[in-house]
Amino acid sequence: MRLPFQIAVRFLKSSKGQTGLIVLGIAVGVSVQIFIGSLIQGLQDSIIYKTTGTSPQINISSTSDDKLLPNYNDIVDKISRLDRRIINLSVTSDGPVLLIKDTNNYSVLVRGMELEKSNKIYNIKNRMYEGKLPKNDYEAIIGKELQEELDAKIGDTLQIIKNSGEVSQLTITGFFNLNVAALNKTWVITTLQTSQKLFSTGDKVTGIEMQVTELFKADEIANRVSSKIPSDLKVENWKAQNEELLSGLNGQSVSSIMIQIFVLIAVALAIASVLAIAVLQKSKQIGILKAMGIIDRTASLILLFQGLLLGIMGSILGVLLGLLLSYIFSKFALTPDGQPIVPLKIEYGFIALSALIALASSTVAAVIPARRSSKLNPIEVIRNA
Amino acid sequence: MPNIITLKNINKVYGTTIKTQVLNNINLSFEEGSFNSIIGASGSGKSTLLNIMGTLDNPTDGEVFIDSKRTDTMNKNELADLRNQTIGFIFQFHYLLPEFTCLENVLMPYQIQSSKLTKDHINRAEELLDLVGLSNVKNNLATNMSGGQQQRTAIARALMNNPKIVLADEPTGNLDSESTENIYQLMRDINKKFNTTFIIITHDKGIAEKADRIVEIIDGKVKMEMELGS
Ligand SMILES: Nc1ncnc2c1ncn2[C@@H]1O[C@H](COP(=O)(O)OP(=O)(O)OP(=O)(O)O)[C@@H](O)[C@H]1O
Ligand SMILES: [Mg+2]
């Protein structure tokens, strides 16, 4: 094993230019692979985070006529002990109202929340650009688009008409921006008590919301929750609500894998052709070595080692190049506010896998040249000086 | 002295549709420790004969014995081993490995049989290089030596495993007369010193006549054998 290895090293060293080129070729392949993989994964993660990160991933509502959940404390208690993957459990009391300003009315949704708990889901505090959270009864905050529509200022009073026809007033204490115009336009966020008083629902709520630590297990967790609570309650999860998004992401993953496979094939072909040329270039040497007594297996090992060594050097350089590329991308491809356009997801397992696949394909690519080297008859070389 | 190489009824035919008989019923033996030359016109079949003796080529029919072992029925690995242990080759175009230094080239036949390189073996290689007068260039790459130096390296390499037989195909074909003279003297010395059998193809009549025995090949047949008293 040592002799064919030594000879392989010598052969590679003796044609440094050629060795360098093919190593670079493998490295570019590996780095493209790592970069594209991290980019797509990062992209998908950020899309999923944007759609689900700051909203409930599982929510429970009632199918009864009044849409109310009695005894919600028992249910919340049960759920909180059901599964450790469930986090940020909170309740809401929501109801539609008409908002009146001058001659215009806007239909909006009053959302009564346990603000400290719900904040963990919606991150409202950080997304308020003016004012503060409602604390006292009949205080509320509204979204950016609604503020612009109403031309509202902190301290202004909102006139609202409930379904019953009753009129109430809410005082504006701040403005939020959830980055979704539809929500900014229609949500009026207030405390749980205010909402319960407004709609005279007493100690009942309209919804239970939660997030999970394993995002892609949300459907499974939702099923567990569903089996443990009364059957007139409806349990929904983000995956069921975003099927189209998920199938879109799936398509993206498949195309990314396709790209990676083609890159891999190109790399393997490049190695195979370079090694095929190497057999031709070194056939004189292999012939003379055979005349001196190396056996065919050793002759093929020389080529296999060449493939392996090229693969190792190419993979290492490729990983470095891929990380460098990713670093440059995340440092220089920025949005106007200094955030990376796409936050890359660097997974070491994926990088190791890419390197390993490149390594394996370089060795496999060396098999055909190795067989040619094994079959080479020394007499051909010696006769055709 | 016993025979180290024996050829019995060797024929070599090239081609399947148009057949060319290159060797025609050759019967020849070489004594151990003898110094032989083979002469003949270009295309007469000398190299073919030598390659068959070196187990690099197969006869179409006939039997080859080396060191009283029949070789035309051995498998490739056995032949590789036999070549490594018993035969040293010197080719007209020296065929050093250009990626390796002079010393490494000389060590190669040893490394093929055993990957453990000992000080003893390095010493032996250096002694051989001393013998052929190359101590001062032993660390040069093969490509950084003159033609004569490369040929002398090839001789040292052929001797590395202390083979019983050295087969040389026009080893001085592209050297000037002085170098040619030196190399023959060298091979003669080695022949005396180690009792190595030499079989050398040459075009140079003067050189041929210095051998113990001359074999002349004409059109694939042994035309003349001449023992020369030394
Ligand atoms: N592969 C082959 N196919 C057909 N004919 C061949 C082949 N190899 C050699 N020959 C023929 O065999 C004959 C003998 O060749 P060989 O090389 O043994 O001659 P030689 O005596 O060594 O000649 P030289 O002195 O020029 O080296 C030549 O006529 C050559 O054309
Ligand atoms: Mg010849």
Side-chain angles (χ1 to χ4, degrees):
Chain A
M1 291 294 264
R2 252 177 65 187
L3 184 68
F5 183 79
Q6 286 171 348
I7 295 173
V9 170
R10 272 311 161 83
F11 280 2
L12 290 177
K13 268 192 191 164
S14 76
S15 39
K16 287 200 183 70
Q18 191 178 318
T19 303
L21 264 177
I22 188 66
V23 165
L24 200 65
I26 300 170
V28 168
V30 171
S31 62
V32 165
Q33 184 128 9
I34 289 175
F35 181 68
I36 290 183
S38 306
L39 188 72
I40 302 262
Q41 195 57 51
L43 197 65
Q44 299 205 343
D45 284 4
S46 96
I47 289 172
I48 289 173
Y49 179 77
K50 274 177 189 150
T51 36
T52 68
T54 51
S55 59
Q57 289 144 5
I58 297 176
N59 50 46
I60 301 173
S61 56
S62 168
T63 55
S64 66
D65 286 345
D66 60 4
K67 304 272 180 225
L68 293 176
L69 280 79
N71 301 326
Y72 69 85
N73 275 325
D74 289 351
I75 299 173
V76 167
D77 208 40
K78 214 180 252 172
I79 295 172
S80 69
R81 274 180 284 134
L82 178 69
D83 199 314
R84 318 185 85 193
R85 292 172 294 180
I86 294 175
I87 52 169
N88 304 340
L89 203 53
S90 59
V91 297
T92 62
S93 166
D94 306 337
V97 297
L98 267 186
L99 203 155
I100 304 196
K101 158 121 188 185
D102 304 330
T103 53
N104 299 329
N105 22 356
Y106 308 88
S107 71
V108 297
L109 184 71
V110 170
R111 302 217 56 198
M113 297 178 177
E114 302 173 286
L115 286 167
E116 281 306 316
K117 289 185 186 170
S118 294
N119 184 54
K120 287 189 185 140
I121 294 179
Y122 296 100
N123 195 19
I124 307 165
K125 272 187 203 167
N126 289 333
R127 294 156 98 184
M128 284 185 62
Y129 57 93
E130 207 185 330
K132 51 185 182 353
L133 285 175
K135 215 158 76 200
N136 304 316
D137 283 356
Y138 297 101
E139 287 182 349
I141 52 177
I142 61 173
K144 183 165 172 258
E145 271 79 4
L146 190 59
Q147 179 206 5
E148 282 162 4
E149 196 82 35
L150 301 174
D151 198 17
K153 285 179 283 297
I154 289 176
D156 284 2
T157 303
L158 295 171
Q159 300 286 337
I160 56 174
I161 306 178
K162 290 173 280 181
N163 282 348
S164 60
E166 246 179 286
V167 178
S168 302
Q169 275 106 26
L170 295 174
T171 310
I172 297 174
T173 61
F175 306 105
F176 59 81
N177 181 6
L178 299 180
N179 288 324
V180 180
L183 301 184
N184 286 344
K185 227 173 197 162
T186 56
W187 280 14
V188 174
I189 298 175
T190 181
T191 62
L192 192 62
Q193 288 91 324
T194 301
S195 177
Q196 282 170 339
K197 280 183 190 165
L198 215 51
F199 299 109
S200 316
T201 50
D203 193 29
K204 293 174 185 164
V205 297
T206 59
I208 301 175
E209 300 180 334
M210 68 202 82
Q211 291 187 318
V212 290
T213 51
E214 288 178 37
L215 207 48
F216 282 89
K217 295 279 167 63
D219 45 352
E220 178 201 314
I221 297 170
N223 283 339
R224 286 193 68 189
V225 170
S226 184
S227 66
K228 287 287 184 313
I229 59 175
S231 59
D232 62 334
L233 300 183
K234 190 166 77 179
V235 180
E236 289 174 302
N237 72 81
W238 76 271
K239 284 177 82 174
Q241 290 162 335
N242 292 283
E243 263 171 27
E244 278 187 17
L245 172 71
L246 285 175
S247 84
L249 293 182
N250 220 351
Q252 201 182 40
S253 293
V254 171
S255 53
S256 137
I257 288 171
M258 291 298 285
I259 293 172
Q260 293 179 33
I261 287 174
F262 281 118
V263 169
L264 206 70
I265 291 174
V267 168
L269 286 178
I271 298 169
S273 58
V274 166
L275 289 178
I277 294 167
V279 180
L280 289 182
Q281 286 174 332
K282 305 292 182 194
S283 60
K284 207 170 103 178
Q285 284 87 326
I286 292 166
I288 196 71
L289 281 163
K290 283 191 173 185
M292 287 194 292
I294 65 165
I295 58 174
D296 293 350
R297 202 176 68 93
T298 308
S300 64
L301 275 178
I302 295 173
L303 269 289
L304 284 180
F305 276 131
Q306 287 197 50
L308 185 72
L309 285 167
L310 288 170
I312 291 174
M313 291 188 285
S315 301
I316 292 175
L317 191 65
V319 168
L320 296 177
L321 221 58
L323 290 175
L324 183 72
L325 207 61
S326 307
Y327 175 80
I328 290 172
F329 182 82
S330 60
K331 276 282 172 296
F332 296 105
L334 300 176
T335 57
D337 54 353
Q339 293 294 308
I341 292 174
V342 177
L344 294 181
K345 179 139 192 213
I346 307 287
E347 282 184 71
Y348 293 103
F350 171 72
I351 292 175
L353 186 72
S354 304
L356 215 66
I357 290 175
L359 199 62
S361 45
S362 349
T363 314
V364 171
V367 166
I368 294 172
R371 285 189 40 194
R372 277 177 59 178
S373 161
S374 166
K375 287 205 182 117
L376 189 128
N377 190 344
I379 190 69
E380 307 293 337
V381 176
I382 284 151
R383 213 162 23 208
N384 307 319
Chain B
M1 279 284 184
N3 288 332
I4 185 89
I5 295 180
T6 304
L7 302 175
K8 285 188 186 160
N9 307 319
I10 295 293
N11 287 294
K12 180 72 179 177
V13 180
Y14 281 118
T16 43
T17 42
I18 308 164
K19 297 190 177 178
T20 339
Q21 179 128 18
V22 176
L23 295 179
N24 196 339
N25 203 36
I26 302 257
N27 284 285
L28 261 181
S29 328
F30 296 92
E31 262 181 37
E32 188 166 359
S34 59
F35 197 92
N36 311 274
S37 61
I38 297 178
I39 55 171
S42 179
S44 57
K46 306 180 297 293
S47 296
T48 308
L49 182 66
L50 196 79
N51 289 335
I52 287 173
M53 287 194 276
T55 78
L56 293 170
D57 204 353
N58 292 317
T60 310
D61 52 66
E63 294 169 15
V64 181
F65 295 86
I66 291 174
D67 210 5
S68 60
K69 286 182 287 252
R70 186 163 173 187
T71 63
D72 52 307
T73 51
M74 286 184 179
N75 71 30
K76 283 170 93 183
N77 287 356
E78 288 171 327
L79 288 177
D81 216 41
L82 175 88
R83 284 200 295 274
N84 183 253
Q85 298 298 307
T86 320
I87 306 172
F89 291 95
I90 305 166
F91 301 102
Q92 178 171 1
F93 300 97
H94 43 75
Y95 284 126
L96 296 182
L97 301 172
E99 296 84 0
F100 291 82
T101 66
C102 170
L103 180 64
E104 287 166 337
N105 266 284
V106 174
L107 282 166
M108 193 55 74
Y110 173 73
Q111 288 206 278
I112 288 171
Q113 63 167 52
S114 157
S115 52
K116 265 204 244 50
L117 206 53
T118 62
K119 193 85 197 102
D120 281 356
H121 290 98
I122 295 172
N123 285 342
R124 172 169 169 79
E126 282 175 341
E127 270 166 32
L128 287 170
L129 283 175
D130 211 25
L131 191 68
V132 298
L134 290 177
S135 297
N136 53 334
V137 292
K138 66 181 180 192
N139 291 321
N140 283 22
L141 278 182
T143 42
N144 296 337
M145 290 192 293
S146 74
Q149 288 174 329
Q150 292 185 42
Q151 199 58 289
R152 281 182 281 159
T153 307
I155 294 172
R157 180 179 69 181
L159 296 170
M160 180 64 206
N161 281 353
N162 206 5
K164 290 189 171 160
I165 306 160
V166 169
L167 302 177
D169 193 346
E170 297 184 44
T172 53
N174 50 1
L175 296 182
D176 62 62
S177 57
E178 201 188 319
S179 305
T180 301
E181 183 59 42
N182 283 339
I183 282 176
Y184 273 93
Q185 202 49 55
L186 190 62
M187 291 195 287
R188 252 306 189 190
D189 293 346
I190 291 160
N191 163 252
K192 294 246 163 64
K193 199 169 164 189
F194 301 115
N195 199 36
T196 310
T197 313
F198 276 82
I199 301 171
I200 301 164
I201 295 175
T202 181
H203 276 128
D204 190 325
K205 274 253 160 45
I207 292 299
E209 279 159 12
K210 287 182 181 152
D212 300 331
R213 176 181 174 215
I214 301 177
V215 176
E216 187 178 10
I217 306 288
I218 296 178
D219 289 338
K221 293 189 183 116
V222 179
K223 195 69 187 175
M224 173 199 81
E225 285 185 66
M226 192 161 60
E227 299 281 343
L228 303 160
S230 46

